[in-house]
Amino acid sequence: MSRFVPVLLAAAVLLPAPLAAQAVDVGKLDRRVGTLESEMRAVQRKVFPGGNARFFEPEIPAQAATPAPAPETPPATTPIADLTGRVDALEGQLKTMTGQIEAMEYKLRQLEDGQRRLKGDVEFRLNTLENPGGTPPADAAGAPLAPTAGPAAVQGKPPATPVATAPKPAAPAAKPATDGAAWTAAYPKVTARDWPGVETAMSQFIADWPKSTRVPQAKYWLGRSFAARTQYPQAAKAFLDVYQSAPRSTPAPDALIALAGALNAMTKPKDACQVLGELETVYGAKLTDTQKADAGRQRLKAKCTA
């Protein structure tokens, strides 16, 4: 506003009242221009972040101050016209840029809404696939989520609702007619060294055929399945059960040798030596060379003195 001070002072002192009023109008317009230019700079900085001073020049440059006219000659109205033009140009540019900012903010809100809808739709579909027929997924407030409108909804058709079908339970295998048939079906797990399968098959055999003469064998292989998976307490219990329930059965000596091995693995050498002493007392003359060799290895591990 300093460039118009000489003109305004001269107009206020020398001119008649109407012209002084025009000078006052010039001052108001100059302040209005200053305010609009400040607002324009703020808007431009928002639209062009990081811009330098060359983006913020006024669209219509200010005219240089002219000397005050002679008292008898009315002053020219060029400053008022220039200021009015600058004001109009600034207001128009401000409206245009404000409209651009509003349009950009609207598009940004649309993009954010679209991302939220897409995320909700993906989460709903994934939860439907992972939890068919179960409790529908819910949001943080506990309300069930619903899929967003897809192409069918846009065309006026309701979206297809996936039909969740509960998986049918597998039909239980038919029980073999005889214990021989059941043993024939179970023993391949032993030859394959499928120890989890051995546990399942032998446990089922013992439950289905508790009076079968093959139950001691089933208990022995059940203990072997535990020992192979380093479950030594369970293995020791199964081997001891073989000896206590059927001491005259074929697997009884092997069960005692395996029991000594489980006790050695549990760092109980005294107990292992006691079991090996029982083995020698009850089955000494009937042990095979293989059984004697296995017992000797367990006796060395336990450091038995006798």
Side-chain angles (χ1 to χ4, degrees):
M1 186 175 71
S2 60
R3 58 180 176 273
F4 298 108
V5 170
V7 177
L8 296 176
L9 290 176
V13 175
L14 300 175
L15 295 183
L19 295 180
Q22 290 183 355
V24 174
D25 293 338
V26 170
K28 291 181 178 179
L29 285 173
D30 189 56
R31 288 192 297 272
R32 184 180 176 191
V33 168
T35 301
L36 288 172
E37 286 179 346
S38 298
E39 294 178 355
M40 179 63 66
R41 289 189 182 93
V43 172
Q44 287 176 324
R45 288 189 183 94
K46 185 174 182 180
V47 177
F48 306 103
N52 54 33
R54 69 175 181 274
F55 293 110
F56 310 132
E57 293 295 332
E59 184 174 336
I60 301 176
Q63 298 293 328
T66 57
E72 65 275 6
T73 304
T77 59
T78 300
I80 297 177
D82 290 343
L83 286 173
T84 303
R86 287 171 63 191
V87 169
D88 293 340
L90 287 171
E91 288 179 340
Q93 190 174 0
L94 183 60
K95 290 179 180 179
T96 300
M97 298 182 71
T98 303
Q100 291 175 350
I101 292 174
E102 291 177 351
M104 292 171 64
E105 290 177 347
Y106 176 73
K107 289 181 180 179
L108 181 61
R109 287 195 298 270
Q110 283 186 321
L111 288 173
E112 291 175 349
D113 292 341
Q115 289 178 348
R116 284 194 296 269
R117 288 194 297 269
L118 179 61
K119 181 180 179 181
D121 183 63
V122 170
E123 290 178 351
F124 178 84
R125 295 178 185 277
L126 288 176
N127 286 325
T128 301
L129 291 174
E130 294 175 356
N131 188 26
T135 304
D139 57 15
L145 294 175
T148 56
V154 174
Q155 298 174 2
K157 299 178 181 179
T161 302
V163 179
T165 57
K168 295 181 179 179
K175 179 181 176 180
T178 63
D179 64 332
W183 184 258
T184 301
Y187 195 75
K189 299 293 184 181
V190 174
T191 56
R193 294 300 188 263
D194 177 10
W195 299 118
V198 169
E199 179 185 356
T200 302
M202 294 306 166
S203 297
Q204 188 65 45
F205 182 88
I206 294 170
D208 290 343
W209 305 96
K211 296 182 179 181
S212 172
T213 57
R214 292 185 173 89
V215 168
Q217 288 177 277
K219 291 180 178 180
Y220 171 77
W221 286 113
L222 182 61
R224 287 285 301 272
S225 73
F226 288 133
R229 290 173 291 163
T230 67
Q231 299 176 13
Y232 297 115
Q234 296 91 323
K237 182 178 179 181
F239 293 138
L240 182 60
D241 189 16
V242 173
Y243 176 68
Q244 289 179 339
S245 62
R248 296 183 181 181
S249 63
T250 301
D254 291 319
L256 283 180
I257 297 171
L259 175 57
L263 292 170
N264 276 330
M266 296 164 64
T267 63
K268 294 183 176 182
K270 292 183 179 180
D271 294 336
C273 291
Q274 184 177 356
V275 169
L276 292 171
E278 182 79 5
L279 173 72
E280 185 66 27
T281 300
V282 177
Y283 304 106
K286 299 179 182 179
L287 294 176
T288 65
D289 292 339
T290 301
Q291 290 171 335
K292 291 178 181 179
D294 292 340
R297 283 191 291 271
Q298 297 302 329
R299 189 173 285 105
L300 286 176
K301 287 183 181 179
K303 297 180 181 181
C304 300
T305 57

